[in-house]
Amino acid sequence: MRKIILLAIFTITICTMIYSCQSESEIELASYVSNGKDIYIKYCQNCHGEKGEGLGQLAPPLTDSVFLKENKSQLACFIKNGVNKPMVINGKTYQEKMPSFPQLENIDIAQVIVYVTNSFGNKQGIYQHQLVESDLRNCK
Amino acid sequence: MIKFKNTISFAVLLALTIGFAACNNNKKLPIYGQREAVITKDKDGNQVVDTVYQTIPNFSFLNQDSTIITQDVFKGKVYVADFFFTSCTTICPTMHRNLKTVYEDFKSNPDVMFLSHTIDFKYDKPAVLKKYSQKLGIDNSKWLFVYGSKEDVYRLAEKNYLVAVEEDSTARDGYIHQGWLVLIDKDKKMRGAYDGTKTEQVEQLKKDISTLLAEEKD
């Protein structure tokens, strides 16, 4: 009987630990998303739209999950330095240049990337702000 | 008795609805800008006071196809005018995203047109405007993009459409301007100005265009 009680307590403790860990990472994701949304509204929304729909052939939509996934490590570069080369998104080529946002800090960039890659039908989880620094060093 | 009451309340409701609908039909948009009273003579030779409203003067610009256009293009039409430039990264994309929804709503109505003036006289030559409008995805016979000299465009913006525009080397894109969408009626009078960056004002513009069209049909 005692063994069973101990085992039960042990299991509950482990479960609680795992559960609280999970919710902590969920909280982190939620905080990235909510901060990222504010940055998105301020810097990105005028061209890319409230729902990430883009603007005609002038600004691409942010709904191409495959593109976002394949270029994940370049997203920080696109935001910080701008883009001046054609991009193929959802099978369409976009040639207008994207302005740079040098005023954004690494944490801002990470938050806005998390917002974009977890909105508009994308669901790619967290992108830690520590990654921004190394990604920016490897811009193509 | 209950039935009778119901009939009465129904009748009252109906009367109210018709009343409000009638009010709506009579609604007229205000006329903006300077006005002056002018004394003229009517056909019997009596002196009468007439109000002269500010109107948009004639203009001559190059459109996106490098064709000279004047006010004749807008003869008998209601149009929405704005000032922008193609390399603008601040308010212009939002303005044109919103204006495009208005364009979509009135696409099939030949009495409504759109006119965008560029304030970037250095870079936004007609070919650039053409490319921009194609990428925006609109029909150039309904929504015109025009290029003019700095003096002409800026004077028209500030004196006539009452939109502030300025060349400013300290601004991120080199120019600053206001995002007003200005509604002009068939008599070239200004009937409304709406902030093109605010969706609720753009919704109001859509309603006001319909009101203006109904008003001019009378």
Side-chain angles (χ1 to χ4, degrees):
Chain A
M1 186 63 195
R2 209 170 141 200
K3 258 189 188 162
I4 293 172
I5 291 174
L6 274 177
L7 190 71
I9 291 174
F10 181 72
T11 321
I12 289 169
T13 317
I14 295 291
C15 285
T16 318
M17 274 166 75
I18 291 171
Y19 180 73
S20 67
C21 276
Q22 266 182 345
S23 64
E24 212 166 90
S25 70
E26 272 166 24
I27 288 168
E28 190 184 27
L29 182 66
S31 106
Y32 267 66
V33 167
S34 106
N35 291 329
K37 187 175 182 177
D38 293 339
I39 297 164
Y40 182 84
I41 291 171
K42 196 165 171 200
Y43 297 102
C44 318
Q45 186 166 302
N46 53 356
C47 290
H48 292 292
E50 195 187 347
K51 299 182 190 77
E53 74 272 25
L55 178 59
Q57 287 278 304
L58 295 165
L62 302 174
T63 52
D64 188 340
S65 295
V66 177
F67 178 91
L68 290 172
K69 200 150 208 162
E70 283 175 353
N71 292 279
K72 191 90 175 228
S73 62
Q74 288 297 305
L75 297 181
C77 302
F78 295 164
I79 296 165
K80 185 99 175 180
N81 307 329
V83 183
N84 204 358
K85 59 177 183 196
M87 282 189 180
V88 181
I89 289 155
N90 287 336
K92 277 191 195 153
T93 309
Y94 293 83
Q95 284 160 332
E96 294 299 304
K97 75 177 187 218
M98 169 167 157
S100 61
F101 297 92
Q103 70 272 42
L104 292 182
E105 299 295 338
N106 289 357
I107 179 75
D108 301 331
I109 293 175
Q111 285 167 341
V112 82
I113 287 175
V114 171
Y115 175 69
V116 168
T117 53
N118 288 283
S119 310
F120 324 131
N122 306 308
K123 201 167 168 39
Q124 303 181 3
I126 195 84
Y127 168 83
Q128 297 288 354
H129 67 94
Q130 292 89 337
L131 272 173
V132 176
E133 205 187 330
S134 61
D135 279 354
L136 283 179
R137 258 186 269 123
N138 298 312
C139 285
K140 280 176 196 158
Chain B
M1 190 60 198
I2 287 170
K3 221 178 186 179
F4 182 60
K5 253 188 191 164
N6 273 346
T7 319
I8 287 183
S9 53
F10 178 73
V12 168
L13 204 68
L14 193 72
L16 279 176
T17 318
I18 293 171
F20 280 123
C23 280
N24 242 354
N25 284 344
N26 292 335
K27 201 186 143 194
K28 279 196 169 167
L29 298 181
I31 299 170
Y32 291 98
Q34 305 272 353
R35 62 188 66 184
E36 54 178 326
V38 180
I39 298 169
T40 53
K41 286 199 169 131
D42 67 9
K43 59 179 193 286
D44 301 325
N46 302 319
Q47 281 200 342
V48 287
V49 180
D50 200 7
T51 315
V52 175
Y53 294 96
Q54 181 174 336
T55 54
I56 303 300
N58 202 3
F59 50 76
S60 168
F61 293 125
L62 285 181
N63 74 0
Q64 68 286 331
D65 297 313
S66 294
T67 309
I68 293 175
I69 65 140
T70 63
Q71 230 168 12
D72 290 347
V73 177
F74 302 98
K75 210 169 191 173
K77 292 176 197 278
V78 160
Y79 71 96
V80 180
D82 76 342
F83 294 83
F84 87 113
F85 58 107
T86 61
S87 53
C88 161
T89 55
T90 52
I91 62 171
C92 310
T94 311
M95 274 168 72
H96 279 175
R97 176 196 314 285
N98 290 335
L99 190 55
K100 198 179 165 188
T101 67
V102 184
Y103 162 86
E104 296 290 346
D105 279 14
F106 293 94
K107 208 154 85 177
S108 55
N109 189 327
D111 292 337
V112 182
M113 284 183 77
F114 300 87
L115 173 62
S116 290
H117 308 73
T118 178
I119 58 166
D120 185 352
F121 50 92
K122 290 176 192 154
Y123 177 74
D124 280 351
K125 304 285 148 103
V128 178
L129 295 176
K130 177 85 179 174
K131 222 169 165 187
Y132 176 90
S133 62
Q134 282 172 339
K135 288 188 172 173
L136 189 63
I138 53 99
D139 170 12
N140 280 138
S141 63
K142 187 156 193 73
W143 186 343
L144 283 85
F145 285 78
V146 293
Y147 170 85
S149 70
K150 181 181 174 184
E151 297 77 57
D152 287 353
V153 174
Y154 285 37
R155 188 175 356 99
L156 197 66
E158 287 179 344
K159 297 268 182 309
N160 303 113
Y161 289 105
L162 309 179
V163 179
V165 294
E166 204 180 318
E167 206 182 348
D168 181 357
S169 52
T170 61
R172 185 183 160 101
D173 299 321
Y175 299 90
I176 47 174
H177 64 112
Q178 291 178 312
W180 296 113
L181 305 173
V182 187
L183 179 59
I184 308 294
D185 70 10
K186 289 177 183 169
D187 300 322
K188 300 165 201 155
K189 290 181 199 136
M190 245 180 302
R191 303 303 293 273
Y194 312 82
D195 186 337
T197 61
K198 300 210 166 69
T199 43
E200 66 278 7
Q201 291 203 26
V202 176
E203 288 307 310
Q204 188 61 47
L205 167 61
K206 290 177 188 170
K207 282 185 205 140
D208 286 0
I209 291 176
S210 300
T211 308
L212 188 56
L213 289 169
E215 179 187 311
E216 295 195 332
K217 278 226 172 75
D218 292 342

